[in-house]
Amino acid sequence: MKKIYKTKQVKVKNTLIGGDAPVTIQSMTNTHTRNYEATIEQVRRLEAVGCDIVRLAVVDLDEVKVACRIAKEVAVPLVADIQYDYKLAVASADGGMAKIRINPGNLGGADKLREVSTACKRNGVPIRVGVNAGSLEKGISTAGGIAKALAYSGLRNLKLLEDCGFDDLVVSVKASSAKVTVGAYRMLAKKCDYPLHIGITESGVGLSGIIKSSVGLGALLLDGLGDTVRVSLSGDPVDEIDIARRLLRASGRDTNFCEVISCPTCGRCSFDVAGLAEKVETRTRNIKAPLKIAVMGCVVNGVGEGKHADLGIAGGKDKAVIFYKGEVIKTVEMENAEEEFFKFVEASLRI
Ligand code: SF4
């Protein structure tokens, strides 16, 4: 899917956010950053599962030092998350962090913000303006709704940095409500062309958090909004990466993968569709190619219903048929179906 809103492009170490770059996936460590061993171990685990950018909270200068040390020891770009102390932002930019995340209005005034922007400029470090519904600055009117207030706050905070002559920016306007978040980003996207970091903050735990994130991020991604994404769940941040990846694929923002579709089954089905579909998905998980595969529960309807797939298998009690774009190309014994089918999957990938 093409993006509707064209955004500027920002470089975070060697990773691009915005413009025509693919949507990046990011997460945040939940260790105490001063604990070097625990933090670098989590950063490395996130990197290993494909996290593109990792954010670390830094609460004092000791933590900035640890974060900057880790930044030199890993390939993945690291972001320093700073709440109030501008000195931490300056030290992070000077110390080798690839990006910083601040809320400019919270740093104590224009002079301090200018010091931060100067440090970021001299080091080629972009800034994410991160606004959250839970910490909207005093004086922002919520009479028009929280979404409007969030968008307004985002623009106002971006302007504070623009007034310092700084425009190497990414922006986020998150709320814990999917509806509020979607409304805020839609308004913001009409008013600025900075790359959008999208996420539903404090979305919750387990399945509830996944569903809430999927509703909110799904709506934005389908709109063509979002240049970098974080799924915020309580728990191990490593779990967020696979969910974010699946969201990008389900929304059509990542098409370079092997998509497995399977029928819901009904009374015509006489084999374990879910089991075979899971095996196919497991075996094709790391394939980087746009291939759609159908696993269907009966020969009678499966071939027709799966004809929009590139390749498919429709099973029965004893026999299965393998089909290519709706045409049956081979009939096989059910017990050999998986292995036979994979010969065709592999052949399709070589074409
Ligand atoms: Fe039922 Fe066959 Fe359709 Fe699956 S493909 S839902 S088994 S009719």
Side-chain angles (χ1 to χ4, degrees), residues 61-83:
L61 283 169
D62 287 340
E63 291 210 330
V64 171
K65 277 186 198 147
V66 175
C68 293
R69 178 183 168 194
I70 295 172
K72 291 183 178 74
E73 295 173 13
V74 297
V76 66
L78 299 190
V79 182
D81 189 281
I82 290 132
Q83 284 297 338

Side-chain angles (χ1 to χ4, degrees), residues 263-269 273 296-303 305:
C263 81
T265 74
C266 69
R268 295 182 192 88
C269 182
V273 169
M296 308 301 281
C298 72
V299 176
V300 184
N301 286 344
V303 179
E305 289 180 18

